[in-house]
Amino acid sequence: MYYYYLLLNPATMEVAFTGDSVIDGGGVSKSLAVIACTAMAILYVAILYAPTLILRLPPPDSFQSHLIRRFICAAISSVASLIACSLILPIQWGKSHLSGVYGIRLDHIWQAVVFPLTLTSLMYAGTFILKLLLLLDSGQEDGGNGRSLSLDSIKNVVHEFIESVSSMASDISAWRNFFVAPLTEELVFRACMIPLLLCGGFNTYTVVFLCPISFSLAHLNHLLEYAQRSGSWLKALTIVGFQVGYTVIFGSYASFLFVRTGHLTAPLVAHIFCNYFGIPVIISRRTGMVTVASVAGLLGFIWLLFPLTSPNLYNTTTDNCMCWHRYCSWS
C-alpha cells in the first residue's frame, strides 16, 4: 500500500543532495516515468493529425494555414506535457520554481548561449571551410571581372546575410524550422522527459541515450509524406532512416547539454544552429582541407565537451538539488 501511496503522492519522495552525494532516491517509479514519456511522444505526433481525423475539420487551404494549424497543435501538446510533468514530479511548491524544473531560466543566459554554440560550431568546421572556399571562388570571379576581390566579396556576404534574416521573418517555414519546432521539441523531449527519467532513478547516461529514441521516433510521421512526394517507399524509408539516425545522435547531444547545464537554453540554441546549417559536411571532393577541418573540429569538440559544459559555469550552486538536477552529482 505504501508503494501506491508514493506513486499517487510523488511529493513525499523528494530527492536530496549534499554536495555530490545522493541521500535519497527520486519520487517517480521507473514504469511511471517511461509510460509518461511514451505518452508525451505519442501525443506530440498524434495531435498533429487531430484537426482532420478527430475534429473533422476541412483540410487547410494553403501551406501557411497547414503550418499554423500544426503550430497550434504543437503548442497544445507542449503545454499538456508541461502540466502532466508538474503533476508527476516530486515538486515542493513554494520551494521549487516550476520554470526552474524545466530549465527555463534567465540566469547564466550568456553562458547557456555562447558555450553550447561554440561547442556545436566545432562540428561544423568542415562546413565553414567549404563555405569559405566557395566565397573565395566567388570573389575570384569578381576579381576577374575587374572588381575588388575582398571588398565585393564581403559586401555580397553581408547583403545576402541581411536578406536571409529579413526574409525569415515573413517565411512560415523558417518559423517552423528555427522557432516552433526547436522550442516545442526541447520543451517536450528535454524539459519534460529528462526530469521524469532522472527522478525515476535511471542512470545519467541511460537517460542521455534513451530519451533521444522517443525524439527520433517522433520523426517517423514524415514517412508517409516522403513516400507520397517521392513515389517510392524505399526512398522514403531511406530518408526517414537517415533522419532517425541523425536525430538520435543530435538528441543524445541535446540531452547531454540539458543534464549537464540544467539550462534549457543550451540545447535550444544548439537545436536552432543545427537546423540552420543542416548536416555537417565531413568530406568534399573539392579539397582535403574540408576533411582536415572536420577532423580537427571533432577533436576540439571531444576535448572541450566536458569543460564547456561544466555545471559550475551555468549554476550558482550545486548543493541542495532536487532529483531532476543531476548535474549536482555530475561534476
Side-chain angles (χ1 to χ4, degrees):
M1 291 296 294
Y2 184 62
Y3 169 79
Y4 293 105
Y5 173 75
L6 294 178
L7 190 63
L8 293 174
N9 298 273
T12 61
M13 286 288 287
E14 178 181 349
V15 65
F17 285 86
T18 302
D20 291 339
S21 301
V22 181
I23 294 178
D24 199 358
V28 181
S29 68
K30 286 187 176 182
S31 58
L32 179 59
V34 171
I35 291 172
C37 289
T38 303
M40 289 177 187
I42 293 174
L43 175 64
Y44 187 84
V45 176
I47 198 172
L48 298 177
Y49 304 95
T52 52
L53 296 180
I54 298 177
L55 300 180
R56 300 295 182 180
L57 297 179
D61 55 2
S62 66
F63 180 68
Q64 181 172 346
S65 300
H66 170 71
L67 286 187
I68 291 175
R69 182 179 290 184
R70 289 205 159 195
F71 291 171
I72 296 172
C73 291
I76 292 173
S77 65
S78 298
V79 172
S81 295
L82 291 170
I83 294 174
C85 190
S86 69
L87 296 175
I88 298 173
L89 286 173
I91 299 173
Q92 283 195 338
W93 302 103
K95 291 185 178 181
S96 300
H97 294 288
L98 186 59
S99 60
V101 175
Y102 303 125
I104 303 172
R105 300 156 41 192
L106 293 178
D107 62 286
H108 299 82
I109 189 70
W110 76 264
Q111 293 95 327
V113 172
V114 174
F115 294 147
L117 281 182
T118 301
L119 194 60
T120 307
S121 64
L122 290 173
M123 295 300 297
Y124 286 82
T127 301
F128 295 148
I129 290 296
L130 181 60
K131 287 182 177 294
L132 177 61
L133 293 175
L134 293 174
L135 174 62
L136 291 175
D137 279 354
S138 175
Q140 288 175 354
E141 290 177 3
D142 291 343
N145 293 328
R147 289 178 288 178
S148 171
L149 170 63
S150 59
L151 185 59
D152 280 353
S153 299
I154 293 173
K155 285 182 178 179
N156 287 336
V157 170
V158 173
H159 180 68
E160 290 177 3
F161 177 76
I162 293 174
E163 278 193 344
S164 65
V165 171
S166 60
S167 64
M168 284 181 187
S170 57
D171 186 356
I172 193 72
S173 295
W175 278 91
R176 174 192 60 187
N177 297 333
F178 308 129
F179 180 72
V180 178
L183 180 60
T184 57
E185 288 177 1
E186 293 306 318
L187 282 173
V188 174
F189 295 97
R190 245 67 69 184
C192 289
M193 292 189 184
I194 288 180
L196 285 172
L197 294 172
L198 290 176
C199 291
F202 284 94
N203 175 272
T204 303
Y205 285 102
T206 301
V207 173
V208 168
F209 293 107
L210 176 64
C211 199
I213 294 178
S214 58
F215 174 61
S216 63
L217 293 179
H219 290 75
L220 288 175
N221 66 304
H222 299 300
L223 181 60
L224 181 59
E225 176 186 344
Y226 290 140
Q228 292 174 342
R229 187 183 304 171
S230 64
S232 170
W233 279 98
L234 181 59
K235 289 183 180 180
L237 286 170
T238 302
I239 295 172
V240 172
F242 179 81
Q243 190 178 49
V244 167
Y246 176 73
T247 52
V248 166
I249 296 172
F250 171 77
S252 298
Y253 173 56
S255 298
F256 175 89
L257 287 176
F258 183 76
V259 177
R260 284 280 290 176
T261 66
H263 217 302
L264 186 64
T265 304
L268 179 60
V269 295
H271 197 151
I272 296 172
F273 183 93
C274 291
N275 276 8
Y276 183 80
F277 285 101
I279 307 296
V281 177
I282 300 175
I283 300 174
S284 174
R285 295 179 180 178
R286 178 187 183 86
T287 175
M289 290 179 59
V290 173
T291 303
V292 172
S294 298
V295 173
L298 176 61
L299 293 176
F301 176 85
I302 295 172
W303 182 46
L304 294 172
L305 181 60
F306 279 87
L308 287 185
T309 59
S310 173
N312 293 323
L313 294 174
Y314 304 87
N315 302 277
T316 304
T317 178
T318 55
D319 297 330
N320 302 318
C321 296
M322 304 296 290
C323 58
W324 51 82
H325 294 147
R326 189 62 59 86
Y327 59 79
C328 290
S329 58
W330 195 11
S331 58

